[in-house]
Every structure is written in C-alpha cells, then in structure tokens.
Amino acid sequence: MRRAERRAGADPAARPSAQEPRPGPERTPARAGDRDLRAAGAPPAGSLAPDWAPRAFPVRVLLEDTGEMFRVTDCRRDMTVRELKEELDLLAGIPSNLQRLQYLDQGILMDDTTLKFHDVVPGGVISLCVWHYDGWTELVMAAVEGDPAKLCGLGVVEGSYFRTANSRHFEEGQWRRWIAQRAFVALYVSSHRGHLEAVQYLLEKGSVLRAGDENSSRPRANCLGKTPMGRTPLHVAAAMGRLDCITLLLSYGASTSIKDARGESPLSLARRLDRKHSERSMFLFHWKAKMAGRDLSQLLRDTEFQKAKSGLSIKKLKT
C-alpha cells in the first residue's frame, strides 16, 4: 500500500502540485488571458471573442486594392467600427466616408457595431476597400500611386470630361462640388503617401470652389478642405513626416493650427507622433509668417516665441 502511494507521489500527473494555482477570484479572466496571449500568441480553440483579450490590443488592416497593411495598436473590444474608421482616416490616409470594412466572411461592418460584436481577435486582419460607386476607387488608387497623368483623367480639374453614371445627371453646381471634392480627396491621399509631384499638380490644377460661391471655381485643390474627421492634407502629411509635401502645402496656404474632431492640429499631431522634423518645419514657418519683417535676433527675443520653443523641446533653431 505504501509502495503504491510512493509510486503515485513520484508521478506528477497522479496528483495535483501544491504550486498549481487554483481557480478563484484572484485569477481573473483578463489576467489569465494576458498570460495565454503572451504564451501562445493566439486565442484558445473555439473562442472567437475571448473574454481574456487585453484591454488594448492591435489589429491589422489590409487595403485590398494595393496590398498595403496598416497596424492599429490601441483597439478595444467596445471600439466601434466608426471609431476604427476614424483611426484609419489618419493611419491609412483614406477619408472615413470612403472606407468599406470587412472581417472574415461577415460582409460590410456597420459603423455602430463593435469589434466584440464581430468577434475581432487580437492580431486579426480586417479588410479595407474603397467604395466603388462614382469612381472613387480608381481615384484613390491613382492618388496612392501618385500619378498626375492618371489623376488628370479622373475628374479632378475644371473642364474635365470624366463622368460616372451618377455624375451625368448632376446640374452645374452639383458637378462643380463633386469635382472639387474629388480634387481634395486626391490631394489628401497624395499628401499622406508623400507624392510631391501629384501634390504639386493638384495644388496648381485641381478644382476647388470659391468660398460662398458654389457655381464658380478656381484652379487650385483646396488644401484647407477637411475630411469628415476635420483633417486637412497637412494633418496627414505631418503625421507621416512628409517634409517636402508639408513645405509645399504651407506655401499654398495650409494652416498649422486647424484642429480636427479630436482637437489636434497638424503641429500637435506631429508632436504626439514624435515627427520632430515635421514639427520643427511647421513651427518655423508659422513664426516666420507671424514675424514677417523682423530679423531672427528679434524673433529669438520674443517671449511668446520662447514659450512655444520650449514646448517643442527644440534645443537649437538657428541653422
């Protein structure tokens, strides 16, 4: 009998170890899930919406038409699809109203639903497509490539012969607004990707409506236009560190102080994302414009300038 007990004691599988954690309130599902995620890197079998998912987790977003992959790091289970689109407005450079998201075989994800509702797991891949209606997909893809020749034929300039099944029925004012919106979207995407030649073309040739006049236009894409999130082309150029595009946009009247729906200006956005060169470039442009006619020594003695400089953490501004 004692021999049998000794044999059982020598076999680790025969009885539980005294060190094995017992189930109880101290082992919360979230804490256990974090440990499982680190160890295995994948959810347990048969669980698509794990309760053990960490409070913030990454998902990957694949832009189907180009094969580009974007990583959204701070997702939550209660995050809505609309909130994810708002992140991608900046991260992928695609205005949120043109985005169509899908996960696995669930079809189009509705804006008010959550990631939990769609069983999105940490590290999962969400597909991003651009809405095909009215030729938006072709326009965005041409802007992603940065090809002015393609953009020219896709309805971004006044006098363009480009029409879609929908735009053929537009009255003159509607058509002008539509062309101006297409020029802005192309400028936004091109600025995000850093295609200087395309940005230059759109700023010089792209159609934009005059303020307060829906029936007139001037030959310039609107660098002050905004996405549904209130972001301008300078916002995305600053976020991505596109210095050449930043300089060009500023020279055409882009503003460093316009705030998006989250209260971020291009300048504060560059600071948050640690785009030091972008921040410095916009900072100096802003102060040179503000202090026009004053020499550098006067500028450096300005108390407001010194306060702003200290906030930027720039040690030397003289070049």
Side-chain angles (χ1 to χ4, degrees):
M1 185 70 162
R2 289 178 181 172
R3 271 188 239 125
E5 289 176 354
R6 280 197 298 271
R7 282 196 301 270
D11 183 1
R15 63 181 182 183
S17 167
Q19 300 301 320
E20 181 178 348
R22 297 178 181 178
E26 69 277 4
R27 186 180 181 187
T28 62
R31 201 174 301 152
D34 287 349
R35 184 158 50 249
D36 293 342
L37 182 63
R38 288 194 298 269
S47 175
L48 289 179
D51 289 333
W52 47 263
R55 186 181 299 274
F57 59 89
V59 299
R60 292 170 292 166
V61 178
L62 174 66
L63 183 53
E64 293 285 353
D65 295 289
T66 66
E68 295 170 292
M69 185 75 77
F70 303 94
R71 181 180 172 88
V72 186
T73 55
D74 295 323
C75 296
R76 311 175 314 277
R77 295 191 64 199
D78 62 350
M79 185 182 203
T80 64
V81 172
R82 179 181 290 106
E83 289 174 320
L84 179 57
K85 286 182 176 181
E86 291 171 356
E87 291 290 330
L88 293 170
D89 182 288
L90 183 65
L91 186 62
I94 309 293
S96 58
N97 59 318
L98 296 181
Q99 298 174 25
R100 178 167 55 90
L101 299 183
Q102 294 177 277
Y103 183 63
L104 302 177
D105 57 352
Q106 298 183 47
I108 298 172
L109 307 187
M110 297 293 103
D111 284 357
D112 294 330
T113 58
T114 64
L115 300 188
K116 177 182 177 180
F117 177 83
H118 294 289
D119 297 330
V120 177
V121 299
V125 178
I126 296 175
S127 296
L128 166 61
C129 299
V130 178
W131 283 106
H132 289 284
Y133 73 92
D134 252 9
W136 288 109
T137 302
E138 293 82 1
L139 178 70
V140 170
M141 292 307 104
V144 167
E145 293 176 23
D147 188 342
K150 287 185 179 180
L151 290 171
C152 177
L154 290 172
V156 297
V157 296
E158 187 178 7
S160 171
Y161 293 104
F162 179 80
R163 295 290 189 278
T164 63
N166 184 45
S167 65
R168 287 192 186 97
H169 304 287
F170 287 164
E171 296 178 356
E172 185 66 17
Q174 289 177 300
W175 184 81
R176 287 182 180 277
R177 289 194 297 273
W178 183 70
I179 289 292
Q181 178 63 15
R182 291 177 68 82
F184 164 73
V185 169
L187 180 61
Y188 190 81
V189 178
S190 298
S191 299
H192 179 275
R193 296 309 196 278
H195 295 309
L196 187 62
E197 187 179 353
V199 171
Q200 178 84 49
Y201 171 79
L202 290 162
L203 289 171
E204 291 180 353
K205 305 294 184 182
S207 175
V208 62
L209 299 178
R210 288 195 184 98
D213 187 353
E214 295 183 347
N215 295 313
S216 300
S217 65
R218 66 174 181 267
R220 190 159 66 88
N222 191 0
C223 58
L224 297 178
K226 300 177 182 179
T227 68
M229 273 299 292
R231 292 178 180 133
T232 66
L234 188 60
H235 276 90
V236 285
M240 300 304 293
R242 311 299 190 186
L243 284 173
D244 289 342
C245 291
I246 288 171
T247 302
L248 188 57
L249 288 165
L250 289 171
S251 70
Y252 273 83
S255 171
T256 62
S257 59
I258 290 178
K259 294 182 178 180
D260 63 16
R262 295 182 178 176
E264 288 191 298
S265 67
L267 196 57
S268 65
L269 191 59
R271 182 179 303 124
R272 176 171 69 83
L273 297 176
D274 200 29
R275 301 290 189 183
K276 296 187 187 309
H277 295 295
S278 299
E279 184 184 6
R280 183 176 187 272
S281 175
M282 290 185 290
F283 174 79
L284 289 175
F285 186 93
H286 168 76
W287 279 95
K288 284 178 181 177
K290 186 171 183 177
M291 303 296 176
R294 296 173 59 182
D295 61 31
L296 184 59
S297 61
Q298 289 178 307
L299 178 62
L300 292 174
R301 288 195 299 270
D302 188 278
T303 55
E304 188 179 351
F305 175 83
Q306 292 297 334
K307 185 184 294 185
K309 185 186 75 169
S310 63
L312 282 172
S313 298
I314 297 175
K315 294 181 179 178
K316 294 182 179 180
L317 289 174
K318 292 183 179 180
T319 57

